Structures are given as structure tokens and as C-alpha cells.
């Protein structure tokens, strides 16, 4: 969720400003502008997704080995928010946007459990795997491996809420992290 500015205190919904503070936020702004159709005759929906969790790869695919070995834990301080969504719910939001004619504008494709921190996510993943999850990945290592720009996405988070997504009537299949992780690693 690179559109909104990283913060340990701010809460962002679909109407919150963003998109102009670093490389990735500018990239998201440009993508959204490029996708915008001229005029008002066509209903348009933009889904800004958080970290997508699903089987067979993605974010979880990179995390599973260290966690299975008992070497997992929070990234950096672990206090940064970690906006996530189960892949089934992201697909569900997209289908809902296609099928429900009242849906338009920006939707935040994140779980309603938006207060999840990176440390809480690490603990939940460890629990789902039946493994400890207390070994932190230091910020300096993250920056060395991923570079400064990409490291920011891992070390700094945002509390993103799907206010409009919920208001459109979308019903989440996996609103809670524990159940989502259990389904993914089962």
C-alpha cells in the first residue's frame, strides 16, 4: 500500500491524500492517472491493495522458509502497520466492483483488521505454523538486501481502513488474520 504516507499514528481511508511523497507513491499516482478514462460516462473503480496473502507465492512465499525454520520474526521495529488482504477477498472485491453498479471510485483492498502491526503479523504466522516468531530482521539488513526505496515499503507502514469498500456492501471471507493464515498454509 504505497499510496499513503507511512505513519505510526495516522489512519487512511479511500478519501485520504497521498501519492506525492516518494518514488512508489508517485508511481501509484501515475498508474491511477493513466488508467483514468476521460469523461464521466463510464463507471470507474480503482482498488488499492495491501500485501496480498495467498498460497503458492507472493508475500507468504518469501516468508515461509525462515518461519518454518523457527527463524521468523518482525521486520525492523515491528511497530509499523501491515495492511494485508487474503487473495480470495481481493478477488471478491474485484468481482463485487464489476457486478455492483453502485460501486465506483477508489476502494482500499485491505482487511478490515487494519490495526495489524508487523510484529502481530509475524506472531500470527508463527502461530499458524506452530513455530516461534521472535527473531527480528534488523532494518540495516533489510536496507542492504532490498535497497532504500524497497526497504521503506517493509520498514514503514500505514494504518489503512477499507471504509468505502465496507460501505459498498462487500462481505469479507477472511476479515481476521488468524483464519486467513490458517487457510493459506493448510
Amino acid at each position: 500500500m504505497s499510496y499513503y504516507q507511512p505513519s505510526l499514528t495516522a489512519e487512511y481511508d479511500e478519501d485520504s491524500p497521498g501519492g506525492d511523497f516518494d518514488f512508489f507513491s508517485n508511481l501509484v499516482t501515475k498508474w491511477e492517472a493513466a488508467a483514468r478514462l476521460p469523461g464521466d460516462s463510464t463507471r470507474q473503480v480503482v482498488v488499492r491493495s495491501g500485501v496480498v496473502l495467498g498460497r503458492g507465492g507472493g508475500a507468504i512465499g518469501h516468508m515461509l522458509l525462515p518461519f518454518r525454520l523457527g527463524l521468523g520474526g518482525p521486520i525492523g521495529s515491528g511497530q509499523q502497520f501491515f495492511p494485508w488482504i487474503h487473495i480470495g477477498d481481493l478477488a471478491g472485491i474485484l468481482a463485487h466492483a464489476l457486478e455492483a453498479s453502485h460501486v465506483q471510485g477508489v476502494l482500499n483492498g485491505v482487511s478490515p483488521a487494519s490495526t495489524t502491526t508487523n510484529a502481530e503479523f509475524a506472531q500470527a504466522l508463527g502461530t499458524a505454523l506452530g513455530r516461534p516468531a521472535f527473531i527480528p530482521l534488523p532494518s540495516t539488513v533489510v536496507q542492504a538486501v532490498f535497497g532504500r526505496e524497497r526497504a521503506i515499503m517493509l520498514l514503514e507502514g500505514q494504518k489503512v481502513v477499507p471504509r468505502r469498500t465496507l460501505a459498498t456492501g462487500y462481505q469479507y471471507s477472511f476479515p481476521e488474520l488468524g483464519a486467513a493464515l490458517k487457510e493459506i498454509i493448510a
Side-chain angles (χ1 to χ4, degrees):
M1 183 72 42
S2 297
Y3 179 78
Y4 305 107
Q5 186 148 7
S7 174
L8 293 175
T9 57
E11 180 177 285
Y12 300 105
D13 67 15
E14 292 88 346
D15 294 321
S16 299
D20 61 357
F21 58 89
D22 69 4
F23 172 79
F24 288 108
S25 67
N26 284 305
L27 183 62
V28 171
T29 299
K30 288 176 183 172
W31 280 345
E32 288 182 6
R36 198 169 298 125
L37 299 172
D40 294 329
S41 61
T42 304
R43 181 174 65 92
Q44 297 180 56
V45 179
V46 171
V47 178
R48 295 181 184 143
S49 71
V51 177
V52 181
L53 306 177
R55 291 184 186 163
I60 288 288
H62 296 293
M63 296 178 208
L64 282 179
L65 181 60
F67 275 84
R68 282 195 170 129
L69 294 173
L71 301 173
I75 297 173
S77 72
Q79 298 309 303
Q80 67 274 26
F81 288 107
F82 189 80
W84 63 274
I85 187 165
H86 187 284
I87 194 165
D89 278 323
L90 183 58
I93 290 169
L94 294 171
H96 177 69
L98 286 169
E99 296 167 357
S101 61
H102 70 282
V103 177
Q104 61 184 0
V106 174
L107 300 178
N108 281 334
V110 297
S111 164
S114 59
T115 60
T116 303
T117 65
N118 183 270
E120 291 166 340
F121 176 83
Q123 187 62 49
L125 181 55
T127 298
L129 290 168
R131 306 296 295 160
F134 59 86
I135 301 173
L137 183 58
S139 303
T140 53
V141 173
V142 175
Q143 290 173 351
V145 171
F146 294 103
R148 180 161 165 63
E149 290 290 340
R150 288 179 58 203
I152 288 171
M153 291 174 33
L154 298 170
L155 296 169
E156 301 177 8
Q158 312 89 358
K159 182 178 180 183
V160 180
V161 295
R163 190 163 287 127
R164 184 175 298 134
T165 306
L166 289 166
T168 67
Y170 180 71
Q171 298 290 316
Y172 284 80
S173 298
F174 298 96
E176 298 301 324
L177 182 59
L181 289 173
K182 247 179 135 171
E183 191 279 334
I184 290 165
I185 62 170

